[in-house]
Amino acid sequence: MKVVGNESKDGIIALTSSGAITDGKPVVVNYDGTCSQVSATGQTASKLSSTALTTVDKADGPASVYDPNSQKLIIAYGDDNDSNKGKVRLGTYNHATRTYSLSSPVTFFNNTVNQSSNDDPINVVLSKDRQGLYNRFVIIWSGNDGSWKLRAIVGTIVGDSVVLGEEAVIYDGSSASYISSCYYESKNVVLTAFKNNADNKGYAAFLT
């Protein structure tokens, strides 16, 4: 090994290679003072098989979140096959086949969910239960049961299905879009922000 210039200042060191080194590739210094090219150890990305949420038609505004406690993917969407009702399903990943299997859909809103796929009409956020586990979630959506309102409902994962609580109205009087929500862990609340389509202003609310 030979130092070229001032090592502490210039950081230039001449080394004898051990094996072929491609120009521009990273190297590692061996115990005997030689250097070798670093072997690539990364994995190649591959495409997973797809699983349809609905048949025949599309799913509007789908939103999803992964629950590490139950190892389930929670997916909420508006079902175009069924008058755009709000539905939620659980996805379970099979490592052997590299596929997701879906649970039967559970309806969280029996009327029309906002059908815009570009305006984030549905959010799903994990929140902790009383035992401090992430097996509870909150769905926030803009829905119409005669009038547009921003709504929320709490769900709990039980086995391969969900149990839903009572719907709560966050904002009454207008449809909402660009909904963005997050869980504030230290306060155990969900913060949601949205655009009021009536006055085009942004609002925020805490869900406890």
Side-chain angles (χ1 to χ4, degrees), residues 133-202:
L133 298 175
Y134 281 113
N135 63 351
R136 189 174 67 174
F137 59 92
V138 181
I139 304 173
I140 302 104
W141 76 98
S142 181
N144 188 340
D145 59 356
S147 61
W148 285 104
K149 297 170 185 166
L150 183 63
R151 308 159 190 268
I153 197 167
V154 174
T156 303
I157 298 173
V158 179
D160 290 324
S161 189
V162 300
V163 175
L164 298 173
E166 295 293 326
E167 174 192 318
V169 174
I170 303 172
Y171 184 81
D172 190 355
S174 172
S175 62
S177 58
Y178 300 103
I179 305 166
S180 180
S181 307
C182 65
Y183 177 57
Y184 190 1
E185 185 173 0
S186 64
K187 301 295 184 182
N188 196 28
V189 297
V190 171
L191 172 63
T192 186
F194 59 96
K195 173 188 173 183
N196 177 2
N197 291 333
D199 61 12
N200 289 323
K201 294 181 179 179

Side-chain angles (χ1 to χ4, degrees), residues 8 16 36 74 108 123 131 142 163 197 206:
S8 61
T16 300
S36 302
I74 305 161
F108 66 83
N123 273 189
Q131 286 73 44
S142 181
V163 175
N197 291 333
F206 283 107

